[in-house]
Amino acid sequence: MSTLTEKRHTLAHLLAAAVVQQYPHAKLTIGPAIDTGFYYDIDFSGGPVLGDDGLKDIQKVMKKLLNGWTEFTHKEVSKEEALAHFEGNEFKTELINEIATQGETITLYTCGGFTDLCRGGHCEHPNKEIDTDGFKLDKVAGAYWRGDEKNMMLTRVYGLAFDTKAELDTYLYQLDEAKKRDHRKLGKELDLFTFSDLVGSGLPLWTPKGTVIRHELDRFIWELRSKHDYQRVTIPHITKKDLYQTSGHWDKFADELFRITTREGKEYALKPMNCPHHTQIFDRTPHSYKAMPQRYAETTMVYRDEQSGELGGLTRVLSITQDDSHVFCRHNQIKEEFFRVWDIIDTFYGSFGFKLRVRLSFHEPTKMEKYLGTKEIWENAESALRDIAKERNADYFEAQGEAAMYGPKLDFMAKDSIGREHQVATIQLDMNLPERFDLTCINEKGEKERIVMMHCAIMGSIERFSAVLIEHTAGNFPLWLAPVQVRILTVNDSLAPYAESVLSALKALEIRAGVDASSESLGKKIRAAKVEKLPYFIVIGDKEKEAGTVTLESRDGTSTSLSVNELTARLAEEIATKKI
Amino acid sequence: MSTLTEKRHTLAHLLAAAVVQQYPHAKLTIGPAIDTGFYYDIDFSGGPVLGDDGLKDIQKVMKKLLNGWTEFTHKEVSKEEALAHFEGNEFKTELINEIATQGETITLYTCGGFTDLCRGGHCEHPNKEIDTDGFKLDKVAGAYWRGDEKNMMLTRVYGLAFDTKAELDTYLYQLDEAKKRDHRKLGKELDLFTFSDLVGSGLPLWTPKGTVIRHELDRFIWELRSKHDYQRVTIPHITKKDLYQTSGHWDKFADELFRITTREGKEYALKPMNCPHHTQIFDRTPHSYKAMPQRYAETTMVYRDEQSGELGGLTRVLSITQDDSHVFCRHNQIKEEFFRVWDIIDTFYGSFGFKLRVRLSFHEPTKMEKYLGTKEIWENAESALRDIAKERNADYFEAQGEAAMYGPKLDFMAKDSIGREHQVATIQLDMNLPERFDLTCINEKGEKERIVMMHCAIMGSIERFSAVLIEHTAGNFPLWLAPVQVRILTVNDSLAPYAESVLSALKALEIRAGVDASSESLGKKIRAAKVEKLPYFIVIGDKEKEAGTVTLESRDGTSTSLSVNELTARLAEEIATKKI
């Protein structure tokens, strides 16, 4: 059976065949498989140009042609034969001359009577392997020949392609949902963050509502960490160059480092990560083995000088808030410490309904020269990670060659509510910084013993996690996280004192509540609460006032009559259990 | 009666008279009054040099001579007369020539037969006005002639001088106590913060214990602010140049701004304050007058490029954590908003036993050109501040000419436990940034109305306040703030399970407690707890285990036997009430 990539590549040929049948003047250029399907860049300058409105017809032709695409054949040809075949097509001519100059073999692939210049990689029997309902022409766009803006502008025809119709439908649904849930759109609508032209792109400013979410998320992480005896530390955002020369980041982060020259001409940098600073806190004093491990946590911003064209929403920013932690431990404590962090990750992501998959990112055994430390240290460390993954019955897979230079890592992938997978937390084992900063503890024999470090940010960054969470929940945050948890709506002004007494009861429990005291109609107040996606709103009329009750309306449409005590108890319980 | 400065200046003459009597080869140079007394710079190179061990004798001579210092006289002299009087003294010669060149009058002042070149400003009758027990020679130090290291090194003799012996004693006590309480010394001993040569001076790294204090202080501030409906916001630490060009800080903070040039050659800066960023959050959307005021709070670091010679401990740092807030309000809301902030300041400083005095820093009426805004706006604003100060029965005084360019302010001075006064919180009214950023609300008539801003950091900065607090408490933090609140000490190892059960009870209430499980003797464990200045430690012996009690020992030496329930209730109460 063919791979999906081979099917997509085959479909690029099929697209080309359909196009030249309908648009005989079209000149083909190149057409590869891509992540979600395929495309073909075509020069229509000799006649009518294919637009979005012509895609349906082409798709029909493709489906019809597919029946006759029973088998791919290919032959090696000489440069002259190839040039003759594509006479009049200056694009293919350029490609053929290049292949010949590089001394490579020129091959032509044919199927269903259609022949194209190609290196291969197709379905052998397209008509049997490709599901005619598993692909769909998507859109046309402009593209310069060979991506160079000095060249001619061609028409790029995009197609989506999956193994089955169900998978295509899932992808289309995700695409559609993702558009509706786009965190940039919802972030503005729900007033969570903003950008200012004066401050610059990639530098989000968090509004009061957005900041509530940041604080609640960070508080949750700290709650989980403090159960595992983490301690918070605090560092400044800058440092002398010396720190990063010792750590190696001055060279490694060359381009991404925001550099500062002081009034006295000294070189400083804005931190792109926290580990080097944290080593200096660890190293302020000698540590007995009895005081190991030391677990430091700090939620703080780091800064990376990204190219402005790459910035967008919360996913690519210049100021990144990491919920960072560093564990300084002995080799024989690695397993337990990974276990602790994994517990935190499981609880945190589980509480939002994310399903996790884990990649054990190991070293490439044949390329030991790429890594720091002996083969034995690596094998011990990786075997410890594998044991942990087994012990936890985790959904994991191993990937050789994916380790960092300084140690193996666990990479966590979270599947969101519309089926997309996001790489989230990473636990990294680091045998490098302890060497560079000469970090030790005093062991049972009274000798200095080299320690190891573990890096782990549970959310990765608050910005990126917020983006994922906004899209995962479509802005319908669980009660504990909602910036406004409840709003009280009154049917008429005479109910204001009763509304205030209910509000006080809620505020006494630190529930984020308010009263809509505007002169709008109840209907309008309800609509406003729904637009803001509040988890709950409370309606108070004369009947409720007399009975000393409230009507609690949830975001999903259920309505319940409760006494004020029942109300506070129910909300407090839902908040405490972080119900989703 | 003479001023203290005049007395101090007189004492500088008296010192000089005593020195030349005992050291006839000594050449006098200059001798002014200073903040705590006076000094005289003297050239002893022609013979024996006065050292610290000679000060007592000189002081005796001064006291003896003082009896004969009944009256100062002075006369104007020609350059030639003056030069003749100081023949052989190249320092006075240089001064005389300078005065003559500038065309100024040369005067000689004489008392008790001792004559010096001087501009005047003494006691008229030193023997009647100066308390012989109110001054004391302090120390000698080296000082270059005219402060220029290319010149000769002279001997500077320092004296302390106050109106009365009691005031001198108070100052000596403060000096001695301040040395013992020095926050740099205690910060290290109590393991609160550290510095790293690789990170650089002026950049404190906060240890786990120091970070507990930071978090607790900040949590207290937030508790007080949230009662007044403040909302937290979050901003990045950098910005494009554009923001500070609009605010005016790009020029105003010229030297102190850490500038950054990005890889794309754009100019950015590290923020030296938060207000310009906060205006951009306010300005993200129009605000109805009904939504005013908006109160934003954020605890975040700002950065100032200080000269490295000026850095020291926590009082002068490059990274400053401000517990900042900005209130955006209408003119008619100024009074209430000042009132709210003042409430917070009173509660906060009162809870540590600081006594506050307030300076109303007003504009200079004759120099309106120095200020932004009309005379009427200023007078209204200042009259509002005066009313508030009166209403609160505050210990206040007015100071014309102390206002900021953009508005009047309230400056708070806190007196610490050894009697020193520190300038702490400031509430500033700002009529400038709202102009520059065109900040408005929509008023009752549907028109745009210019608003005002208030700036207030309650602690000023966490670094500076921590330094003040460490010295105020001598490291004996109140229970709610202590990094380790209680430690459990066992008499023998068999008591470990009971100790753990007590620990669990404490931890359930989030009390920061631990067990000293080391194999040291009880005496050593107690000494360690005292050196760390723990508010409490608990001793557990067999007797306590059997009775289900603990012995609670406080830092100040009281000892109480309590059941575990009584223990947790008592500590929880003391924490909740922030008892000092």
Side-chain angles (χ1 to χ4, degrees):
Chain A
M1 206 47 195
S2 304
T3 65
L4 185 52
T5 305
E6 286 165 345
K7 290 184 189 174
R8 286 168 172 168
H9 184 184
T10 302
L11 283 162
H13 281 256
L14 187 62
L15 166 62
V19 166
V20 293
Q21 190 188 90
Q22 302 299 101
Y23 298 77
H25 61 279
K27 289 183 189 169
L28 301 175
T29 70
I30 54 163
I34 55 172
D35 250 10
T36 54
F38 56 92
Y39 71 76
Y40 214 113
D41 285 349
I42 301 167
D43 169 20
F44 286 98
S45 62
V49 177
L50 172 62
D52 279 328
D53 50 358
L55 293 181
K56 268 201 176 154
D57 283 343
I58 295 291
Q59 186 168 311
K60 268 188 206 157
V61 175
M62 285 172 74
K63 292 190 181 183
K64 217 165 170 183
L65 287 178
L66 183 57
N67 295 323
W69 282 41
T70 51
E71 193 173 11
F72 255 103
T73 59
H74 74 280
K75 61 171 180 176
E76 293 181 13
V77 294
S78 69
K79 178 178 161 187
E80 291 65 31
E81 278 178 278
L83 288 173
H85 185 92
F86 292 102
E87 202 187 333
N89 182 328
E90 61 270 34
F91 309 102
K92 296 285 187 189
T93 301
E94 187 177 323
L95 294 174
I96 292 162
N97 283 326
E98 265 182 28
I99 300 170
T101 305
Q102 285 159 17
E104 290 172 22
T105 310
I106 302 170
T107 44
L108 298 184
Y109 277 76
T110 302
C111 195
F114 172 78
T115 299
D116 204 352
L117 177 70
C118 188
R119 284 203 171 90
H122 314 95
C123 307
E124 277 189 56
H125 307 289
N127 66 331
K128 289 190 189 149
E129 298 178 43
I130 293 178
D131 180 344
T132 49
D133 293 325
F135 73 90
K136 182 178 186 260
L137 290 188
D138 186 25
K139 61 183 174 193
V140 301
Y144 293 106
W145 165 236
R146 309 202 104 172
D148 185 339
E149 60 181 20
K150 291 191 211 102
N151 290 340
M152 187 185 188
M153 172 75 87
L154 306 169
T155 299
R156 177 169 294 178
V157 185
Y158 281 101
L160 302 169
F162 294 86
D163 284 323
T164 63
K165 179 175 190 307
E167 284 169 79
L168 174 63
D169 286 348
T170 301
Y171 178 76
L172 289 171
Y173 161 78
Q174 282 177 358
L175 215 61
D176 188 44
E177 269 300 309
K179 223 178 272 174
K180 284 189 231 158
R181 291 161 180 250
D182 187 322
H183 74 276
R184 290 165 298 186
K185 181 173 154 279
L186 283 176
K188 198 173 159 64
E189 285 170 14
L190 301 177
D191 193 22
L192 303 178
F193 53 87
T194 186
F195 290 92
S196 154
D197 286 342
L198 295 175
V199 175
S201 53
L203 294 171
L205 302 165
W206 293 79
T207 64
K209 285 182 181 169
T211 302
V212 167
I213 293 179
R214 289 173 60 97
H215 274 270
E216 288 293 333
L217 288 173
D218 190 46
R219 192 158 76 162
F220 186 20
I221 295 282
W222 174 240
E223 207 179 274
L224 298 173
R225 281 188 172 144
S226 58
K227 282 183 194 152
H228 288 283
D229 293 329
Y230 276 72
Q231 298 181 299
R232 282 190 284 220
V233 293
T234 310
I235 58 173
H237 297 77
I238 57 175
T239 175
K240 272 165 57 184
K241 179 183 182 176
D242 310 44
L243 185 72
Y244 293 148
Q245 282 183 317
T246 305
S247 71
H249 290 110
W250 190 259
D251 296 325
K252 192 183 156 202
F253 267 83
D255 280 344
E256 287 165 297
L257 213 54
F258 280 115
R259 289 177 165 76
I260 299 164
T261 305
T262 69
R263 62 158 90 180
E264 292 170 354
K266 292 182 192 154
E267 285 190 279
Y268 279 66
L270 204 48
K271 67 181 162 75
M273 77 282 307
N274 308 306
C275 24
H277 278 86
H278 283 183
T279 65
Q280 298 305 290
I281 298 181
F282 175 79
D283 207 28
R284 73 192 181 283
T285 186
H287 299 277
S288 152
Y289 69 95
K290 292 179 197 164
M292 299 294 288
Q294 295 268 316
R295 305 179 190 95
Y296 296 161
E298 182 172 13
T299 298
T300 176
M301 287 190 189
V302 297
Y303 292 85
R304 296 187 188 161
D305 189 357
E306 305 275 0
Q307 275 160 338
S308 55
E310 292 171 359
L311 303 173
L314 295 181
T315 44
R316 202 71 178 255
V317 287
L318 300 177
S319 59
I320 306 154
T321 313
Q322 290 186 333
D323 61 312
D324 211 359
S325 71
H326 293 103
V327 176
F328 299 83
C329 67
R330 302 175 79 182
H331 281 271
N332 62 12
Q333 295 172 324
I334 291 172
K335 189 168 160 177
E336 182 183 335
E337 293 307 315
F338 262 80
F339 217 94
R340 285 171 183 267
V341 180
W342 198 329
D343 275 356
I344 295 172
I345 291 172
D346 269 352
T347 310
F348 183 77
Y349 285 94
S351 80
F352 295 102
F354 288 109
K355 283 215 183 84
L356 293 177
R357 224 157 56 99
V358 181
R359 182 176 70 198
L360 305 189
S361 297
F362 287 171
H363 76 293
E364 179 70 58
T366 57
K367 294 182 181 159
M368 277 313 292
E369 69 284 1
K370 277 173 57 184
Y371 305 100
L372 187 107
T374 65
K375 202 162 183 63
E376 195 195 345
I377 289 182
W378 275 85
E379 283 171 358
N380 285 346
E382 292 177 356
S383 142
L385 298 201
R386 190 183 293 111
D387 287 352
I388 299 166
K390 277 188 194 155
E391 258 182 74
R392 297 187 75 95
N393 287 318
D395 179 5
Y396 76 94
F397 61 100
E398 296 185 14
Q400 286 191 346
E402 291 288 337
M405 172 194 64
Y406 45 77
K409 49 183 185 146
L410 293 188
D411 294 317
F412 290 80
M413 258 80 74
K415 193 174 240 185
D416 73 11
S417 62
I418 59 171
R420 294 175 305 173
E421 207 168 50
H422 307 271
Q423 185 170 333
V424 286
T426 300
I427 320 180
Q428 303 191 359
L429 196 59
D430 183 352
M431 308 182 276
N432 178 25
L433 285 188
E435 286 291 333
R436 286 181 169 262
F437 286 105
D438 189 20
L439 305 181
T440 58
C441 69
I442 309 298
N443 68 14
E444 292 85 343
K445 296 178 205 152
E447 296 161 348
K448 280 189 178 180
E449 178 183 299
R450 174 72 64 232
I451 57 150
V452 292
M453 276 176 78
M454 268 174 53
H455 310 245
C456 180
I458 306 296
M459 292 188 262
S461 86
I462 294 191
E463 287 74 19
R464 207 166 160 278
F465 181 74
S466 297
V468 169
L469 189 66
I470 291 168
E471 300 189 1
H472 174 63
T473 60
N476 295 302
F477 300 109
L479 183 65
W480 70 273
L481 200 55
V484 177
Q485 296 175 311
V486 196
R487 183 174 297 152
I488 303 170
L489 316 180
T490 52
V491 171
N492 64 57
D493 286 352
S494 74
L495 297 163
Y498 182 58
E500 285 298 323
S501 75
V502 175
L503 183 65
S504 300
L506 292 169
K507 285 202 163 176
L509 294 172
E510 294 186 359
I511 292 170
R512 296 182 291 273
V515 173
D516 184 343
S518 69
S519 50
E520 300 292 350
S521 70
L522 182 64
K524 274 205 170 172
K525 290 180 182 182
I526 290 174
R527 269 194 297 284
K530 287 189 172 169
V531 166
E532 291 178 51
K533 307 197 175 203
L534 303 192
Y536 290 107
F537 58 92
I538 285 170
V539 178
I540 288 181
D542 291 310
K543 204 184 66 185
E544 279 85 1
K545 184 189 157 193
E546 275 158 40
T549 61
V550 299
T551 303
L552 181 68
E553 307 270 357
S554 80
R555 185 167 47 201
D556 53 25
T558 64
S559 172
T560 327
S561 178
L562 297 166
S563 73
V564 177
N565 281 346
E566 285 166 347
L567 169 76
T568 52
R570 174 167 160 175
L571 296 181
E573 155 91 11
E574 189 171 329
I575 290 167
T577 56
K578 296 197 163 58
K579 192 174 160 245
I580 43 173
Chain B
M1 206 47 196
S2 304
T3 65
L4 184 53
T5 304
E6 286 165 346
K7 290 183 188 175
R8 286 169 172 166
H9 183 184
T10 302
L11 283 163
H13 281 256
L14 188 63
L15 165 63
V19 165
V20 293
Q21 191 189 84
Q22 303 300 100
Y23 298 77
H25 63 278
K27 290 183 188 169
L28 301 175
T29 70
I30 55 161
I34 54 172
D35 251 10
T36 55
F38 57 92
Y39 70 76
Y40 214 114
D41 284 349
I42 302 167
D43 168 20
F44 287 98
S45 62
V49 177
L50 173 62
D52 279 328
D53 51 359
L55 292 182
K56 267 201 176 156
D57 282 342
I58 296 291
Q59 186 168 308
K60 268 187 204 157
V61 175
M62 285 172 74
K63 292 190 179 184
K64 218 165 167 182
L65 287 178
L66 184 56
N67 296 323
W69 282 42
T70 52
E71 193 172 10
F72 254 102
T73 60
H74 74 279
K75 62 171 179 178
E76 294 181 11
V77 295
S78 68
K79 177 178 160 185
E80 290 68 29
E81 278 178 279
L83 288 174
H85 185 91
F86 292 101
E87 203 189 334
N89 182 327
E90 61 270 34
F91 308 102
K92 296 285 187 189
T93 301
E94 187 178 322
L95 295 174
I96 291 162
N97 283 326
E98 267 182 27
I99 300 171
T101 305
Q102 285 160 16
E104 290 172 23
T105 310
I106 303 170
T107 45
L108 299 183
Y109 277 77
T110 302
C111 195
F114 173 77
T115 299
D116 204 351
L117 176 73
C118 188
R119 283 201 171 92
H122 313 94
C123 307
E124 278 190 53
H125 307 290
N127 65 330
K128 289 189 188 147
E129 298 178 43
I130 293 178
D131 180 344
T132 49
D133 294 325
F135 72 90
K136 181 178 187 264
L137 290 187
D138 187 25
K139 62 183 175 193
V140 301
Y144 292 107
W145 166 236
R146 311 202 100 174
D148 185 339
E149 61 181 18
K150 290 192 211 100
N151 290 339
M152 186 184 192
M153 173 74 88
L154 306 169
T155 299
R156 177 169 293 179
V157 185
Y158 281 101
L160 302 169
F162 293 88
D163 284 323
T164 62
K165 179 175 188 310
E167 285 169 78
L168 174 62
D169 286 348
T170 301
Y171 178 76
L172 289 171
Y173 162 78
Q174 281 176 359
L175 215 61
D176 187 44
E177 269 299 309
K179 224 178 272 172
K180 286 189 230 158
R181 292 161 180 251
D182 187 322
H183 74 274
R184 291 166 297 187
K185 181 174 153 279
L186 282 176
K188 197 174 161 61
E189 286 170 13
L190 301 178
D191 193 22
L192 302 178
F193 53 87
T194 187
F195 290 93
S196 153
D197 287 342
L198 295 176
V199 175
S201 53
L203 294 171
L205 303 164
W206 293 80
T207 63
K209 285 183 180 170
T211 302
V212 167
I213 293 180
R214 289 173 61 96
H215 274 271
E216 289 293 333
L217 288 173
D218 191 47
R219 191 157 77 162
F220 185 21
I221 296 282
W222 174 241
E223 207 179 274
L224 298 173
R225 281 188 173 144
S226 58
K227 282 182 193 152
H228 289 283
D229 293 328
Y230 277 73
Q231 297 181 299
R232 282 191 283 220
V233 294
T234 311
I235 58 173
H237 296 77
I238 57 174
T239 175
K240 270 165 58 184
K241 180 182 182 177
D242 310 44
L243 185 72
Y244 293 147
Q245 281 182 319
T246 305
S247 70
H249 291 108
W250 188 259
D251 297 324
K252 192 183 156 202
F253 267 82
D255 281 344
E256 287 165 299
L257 213 53
F258 281 114
R259 288 178 166 75
I260 299 163
T261 305
T262 69
R263 61 158 89 179
E264 291 170 356
K266 290 184 193 154
E267 285 190 280
Y268 279 66
L270 204 47
K271 69 180 160 78
M273 77 283 305
N274 308 306
C275 24
H277 278 86
H278 284 183
T279 65
Q280 297 305 291
I281 297 181
F282 175 80
D283 207 28
R284 73 190 182 284
T285 185
H287 299 278
S288 152
Y289 69 96
K290 292 179 197 163
M292 299 293 288
Q294 296 268 316
R295 306 179 189 94
Y296 296 161
E298 182 173 12
T299 298
T300 174
M301 287 192 189
V302 297
Y303 292 84
R304 296 188 188 162
D305 190 358
E306 305 275 0
Q307 275 160 338
S308 54
E310 292 171 0
L311 303 174
L314 295 180
T315 45
R316 202 70 178 256
V317 287
L318 301 177
S319 60
I320 305 154
T321 313
Q322 290 186 335
D323 61 312
D324 211 359
S325 71
H326 293 104
V327 176
F328 299 82
C329 67
R330 303 176 78 182
H331 281 271
N332 62 11
Q333 295 171 323
I334 292 173
K335 189 168 159 177
E336 182 183 336
E337 294 306 316
F338 263 80
F339 216 95
R340 286 171 183 267
V341 181
W342 199 330
D343 275 357
I344 295 172
I345 291 173
D346 270 352
T347 310
F348 183 77
Y349 285 94
S351 79
F352 296 102
F354 287 110
K355 282 212 184 86
L356 292 178
R357 222 156 57 97
V358 180
R359 182 175 71 197
L360 304 189
S361 298
F362 286 171
H363 76 293
E364 178 70 58
T366 58
K367 293 182 184 161
M368 278 312 293
E369 69 283 1
K370 278 172 58 182
Y371 305 100
L372 187 108
T374 66
K375 203 164 181 63
E376 195 195 345
I377 288 182
W378 275 85
E379 284 169 358
N380 286 344
E382 292 177 356
S383 141
L385 299 200
R386 192 183 293 112
D387 288 350
I388 298 165
K390 277 186 193 155
E391 259 182 75
R392 297 186 75 94
N393 286 319
D395 179 4
Y396 77 94
F397 61 100
E398 295 185 14
Q400 285 191 346
E402 291 287 339
M405 171 193 66
Y406 45 78
K409 51 184 184 144
L410 293 188
D411 294 316
F412 291 81
M413 258 81 73
K415 193 175 239 185
D416 73 12
S417 62
I418 59 172
R420 294 175 305 174
E421 207 168 47
H422 308 269
Q423 185 168 334
V424 286
T426 301
I427 320 180
Q428 303 191 0
L429 196 59
D430 183 351
M431 308 181 275
N432 178 26
L433 285 189
E435 285 292 332
R436 285 180 170 265
F437 285 105
D438 190 20
L439 304 181
T440 58
C441 70
I442 308 297
N443 68 15
E444 293 85 342
K445 297 178 207 152
E447 296 161 350
K448 281 188 179 182
E449 178 183 297
R450 175 72 64 235
I451 56 149
V452 291
M453 277 176 78
M454 269 174 52
H455 310 245
C456 179
I458 306 296
M459 292 189 260
S461 86
I462 295 191
E463 287 74 20
R464 204 163 165 281
F465 181 74
S466 297
V468 169
L469 190 65
I470 291 168
E471 300 190 359
H472 174 63
T473 60
N476 295 302
F477 300 111
L479 183 66
W480 70 271
L481 200 55
V484 177
Q485 297 175 311
V486 197
R487 183 173 298 151
I488 303 171
L489 317 180
T490 50
V491 172
N492 63 58
D493 288 351
S494 74
L495 297 162
Y498 181 58
E500 285 299 323
S501 76
V502 175
L503 183 66
S504 299
L506 293 169
K507 284 203 162 175
L509 293 172
E510 293 186 359
I511 292 170
R512 296 182 289 273
V515 173
D516 184 344
S518 69
S519 49
E520 300 293 349
S521 69
L522 182 64
K524 272 205 170 172
K525 289 180 182 180
I526 290 176
R527 269 194 299 284
K530 287 189 171 168
V531 166
E532 289 179 51
K533 307 199 177 202
L534 303 192
Y536 290 108
F537 59 90
I538 285 170
V539 178
I540 288 181
D542 291 311
K543 204 184 68 186
E544 280 85 359
K545 184 190 158 193
E546 275 158 42
T549 61
V550 299
T551 301
L552 181 68
E553 308 269 356
S554 80
R555 184 166 50 197
D556 54 24
T558 63
S559 172
T560 327
S561 177
L562 298 165
S563 73
V564 177
N565 281 345
E566 286 167 345
L567 170 76
T568 52
R570 174 166 161 174
L571 296 181
E573 156 90 13
E574 189 172 329
I575 290 168
T577 58
K578 296 196 164 56
K579 192 172 161 250
I580 43 173

